[in-house]
Amino acid sequence: MLRRFLHNTAISAVAYGLAGVLGLMAVGAIARFYGVAVLGLIVLTRSFLPSGFLVLFDFGVSELATQAVARGRVGDWRAASEKVTLLTLIAALIGILSAVALYLASAPLTALFKVSADHVDAFVAILAVTALMLPIAFLGLIAEGILKGLEEYGWLRLTEVIGNALYVAAVYVMVWKGEPFETVAYAYLAMTVAKYVVLAVVVERMARETPLRFAMWGHESRKDVLHRCWLMFNSRIAGILQQPVVPLAIGALFSPVEVGTYDVLTRLTRFLKTVMSPLYSAILPLSTQIEEATDTRRLQILGRNGLVLPSAIVIPVLTVMALFSDEILKIWVGPEHADQWPWFALSLLIPAVTVLLGAGQTALMVRADFLRLNTRYLYLQVLIQYAVTAIALVWFRERAFILGWVVSFVVSAPFIARRMLTQMDLPASLFWEQVGRQALVAAILTLVAAAYRMYAGAEGLLGLVIVGGVGCLLAWGLSATLILSAGDRAMFGRFARAITRRR
């Protein structure tokens, strides 16, 4: 089980890392060639995909399909079939209703977001095409969930990487040819549809090898699915207010220019946070099997290692990125945005908190009581976020949303960590111990970077890669020495042997 879990995690890390880097390249090209106003328009249109604002209405069908199939693999395929069938129907209905609503609202949205007259027709057309593909996108969530439940991550990651590679290639070709910006939006939608069609074919073939079939659901299956959908919907409300609705709010308050600026400053942060989510999705089938077996000791091991090991790798690298954030912005999207580096660096606290807590939160999602508790903390985060944003809006405009987002994560993290560790029968001091060690490593790296900047700088892409690479090696060395215990370092060795050992 450990080997399969680590294998899936490694696949997710590499694949989503590549896909995310390709996405960052596309954003850089769009911002440089078309400008941040057009980037803002593209961001607004993508907000109406299931990965954006419409995630509010997906009722967690993908995650619930994953849980159903994972439970089916440990014995009850009949219940899994019933639940997957009902979830598929729910996804289809949501897709159709969302498509109709978006198509009817496309024209009024141009006024709400203050779209300039020369972009109105293109914006409406993009929204209309987006509406047409929404049923496919929502059904695609079911396909993703089934493959995760079967722990077949290869196709998921392969389609993600190939799709993004084709999209980025299309962006550069369109930039080179001077094509209008709407062709970029259509290319992304075409890539999304193609990905879900491929996944549907893969799921159909893999399902033949299992007892998973479409089946009429019974009372117990319907009750469980609707209850969990309701819990996920409540969780989604808080999550949607945290991030996907923000570009829409900025567009309504200001204009697409501010939406594009906000996207540039938070794109890397959201990329890192998104990369971590699929990594943790590999934990869900494993934690489901542990919960079914009531294996407390293995849950404790999963919880502690999930808190300590990923953060020991990721957070020191985030520190290095924050220290060279001005150079990153200058090379990525142009020197005109380099002066915004403090906001870019501040936003990196979001993935730092996520990597500390994400594994444990995902592992406990199978417990309905923790899911309810975690939802309450999400609402607390949203309340803090918008209170801080409202206070700072006059001074910082779209950047006030960054400040509120960061403050909400930092303030709520200790409370979430305490509840999470309690559920796993682990000491609450473990969280503060890790925070202290990470702070010590960050302080040392800051002093080293300050000393380096007194005598040299990172000039150009090659210079940044060299300096950043050396900085990451130093960060990992400090992490291995100051953050990881001897037992943690031995655990890394066992993980490596588990991955490389032949079956």
Side-chain angles (χ1 to χ4, degrees):
M1 184 185 294
L2 175 62
R3 186 180 188 279
R4 188 177 184 87
F5 164 66
L6 293 173
H7 182 253
N8 289 335
T9 302
I11 290 175
S12 297
V14 174
Y16 273 83
L18 287 173
V21 169
L22 291 169
L24 292 173
M25 292 172 59
V27 168
I30 293 169
R32 282 176 173 272
F33 183 78
Y34 294 106
V36 292
V38 165
L39 176 62
L41 288 173
I42 292 175
V43 170
L44 288 170
T45 58
R46 291 184 191 171
S47 296
F48 295 99
L49 291 171
S51 56
F53 169 71
L54 290 184
V55 72
L56 172 63
F57 302 105
D58 76 357
F59 294 98
V61 293
S62 182
E63 292 89 342
L64 296 180
T66 298
Q67 293 180 27
V69 174
R71 284 196 166 97
R73 292 174 61 205
V74 295
D76 194 354
W77 279 110
R78 176 65 187 177
S81 297
E82 293 178 2
K83 291 176 182 179
V84 168
T85 302
L86 180 55
L87 289 168
T88 302
L89 177 61
I90 292 172
L93 289 174
I94 296 167
I96 293 170
L97 292 174
S98 299
V100 173
L102 180 59
Y103 184 82
L104 295 176
S106 56
L109 287 173
T110 61
L112 177 65
F113 298 136
K114 306 172 185 66
V115 179
S116 61
D118 53 334
H119 290 149
V120 166
D121 291 340
F123 186 76
V124 171
I126 295 169
L127 288 181
V129 175
T130 302
L132 290 175
M133 59 83 63
L134 281 178
I136 297 173
F138 276 101
L139 288 172
L141 298 178
I142 299 294
E144 288 182 346
I146 292 173
L147 288 174
K148 290 174 185 176
L150 294 172
E151 296 187 68
E152 297 289 347
Y153 288 81
W155 280 102
L156 281 171
R157 307 322 180 208
L158 183 64
T159 53
E160 192 73 24
V161 172
I162 293 177
N164 275 275
L166 292 173
Y167 167 65
V168 173
V171 169
Y172 277 94
V173 169
M174 291 168 193
V175 167
W176 176 57
K177 289 187 173 183
E179 297 289 337
F181 81 93
E182 56 264 34
T183 58
V184 173
Y186 295 144
Y188 183 83
L189 294 174
M191 179 272 291
T192 303
V193 170
K195 179 184 74 171
Y196 284 133
V197 169
V198 170
L199 291 181
V201 173
V202 172
V203 166
E204 193 275 332
R205 291 185 176 181
M206 289 187 174
R208 293 177 187 174
E209 302 175 3
T210 72
L212 185 66
R213 299 290 186 273
F214 284 121
M216 188 61 192
W217 53 88
H219 174 73
E220 289 300 321
S221 294
R222 178 177 58 81
K223 181 180 178 182
D224 183 65
V225 166
L226 295 181
H227 175 63
R228 290 182 179 273
C229 281
W230 176 247
L231 292 177
M232 293 299 291
F233 175 72
N234 280 291
S235 175
R236 289 286 199 264
I237 293 174
I240 202 72
L241 290 172
Q242 275 188 318
Q243 195 49 220
V245 80
V246 169
L248 303 179
I250 294 174
L253 288 171
F254 305 113
S255 74
V257 174
E258 284 78 7
V259 175
T261 302
Y262 172 84
D263 187 74
V264 165
L265 293 176
T266 61
R267 171 68 68 156
L268 183 59
T269 293
R270 288 180 286 117
F271 152 63
L272 293 171
K273 195 169 180 290
T274 301
V275 166
M276 293 171 193
S277 296
L279 294 183
Y280 299 142
S281 70
I283 295 173
L284 192 55
L286 178 62
S287 61
T288 299
Q289 294 172 30
I290 291 173
E291 183 72 10
E292 289 290 316
T294 61
D295 194 338
T296 303
R297 179 176 174 276
R298 292 179 70 183
L299 184 62
Q300 287 180 321
I301 294 172
L302 179 63
R304 187 190 183 282
N305 290 336
L307 178 72
V308 175
L309 302 186
S311 59
I313 299 172
V314 175
I315 294 181
V317 176
L318 293 175
T319 303
V320 173
M321 294 171 65
L323 293 172
F324 292 95
S325 53
D326 54 339
E327 286 90 348
I328 292 173
L329 284 174
K330 188 183 300 181
I331 294 169
W332 177 36
V333 292
E336 64 271 20
H337 299 288
D339 62 339
Q340 302 290 334
W341 71 265
W343 296 99
F344 180 86
L346 180 67
S347 70
L348 293 175
L349 283 171
I350 300 295
V353 173
T354 301
V355 77
L356 269 172
L357 305 180
Q361 287 180 295
T362 303
L364 292 172
M365 269 185 62
V366 295
R367 297 184 178 180
D369 58 338
F370 180 80
L371 185 58
R372 283 193 295 270
L373 183 65
N374 200 50
T375 300
R376 293 173 188 168
Y377 280 122
L378 280 174
Y379 281 115
L380 174 63
Q381 282 185 325
V382 169
L383 182 63
I384 295 171
Q385 176 181 346
Y386 280 89
V388 173
T389 299
I391 293 171
L393 199 60
V394 175
W395 296 284
F396 301 125
R397 293 173 67 83
E398 75 277 2
R399 292 160 295 176
F401 287 89
I402 300 175
L403 181 63
W405 190 25
V406 171
V407 171
S408 70
F409 263 68
V410 172
V411 169
S412 62
F415 300 99
I416 297 173
R418 182 175 179 275
R419 291 291 187 177
M420 181 183 78
L421 294 170
T422 299
Q423 288 264 342
M424 294 181 171
D425 293 326
L426 290 169
S429 60
L430 180 61
F431 170 77
W432 290 111
E433 176 186 332
Q434 292 304 305
V435 170
R437 294 185 180 189
Q438 293 286 356
L440 177 60
V441 170
I444 295 173
L445 289 172
T446 301
L447 292 175
V448 172
Y452 170 77
R453 285 177 180 274
M454 293 176 63
Y455 302 99
E459 297 295 332
L461 177 60
L462 180 60
L464 180 61
V465 169
I466 293 173
V467 172
V470 173
C472 288
L473 291 175
L474 174 61
W476 285 327
L478 290 170
S479 178
T481 305
L482 301 176
I483 296 176
L484 299 179
S485 65
D488 295 328
R489 291 190 288 272
M491 182 62 72
F492 268 119
R494 288 195 288 273
F495 284 170
R497 289 192 294 274
I499 293 174
T500 58
R501 186 175 64 245
R502 293 184 178 179
R503 293 180 185 272

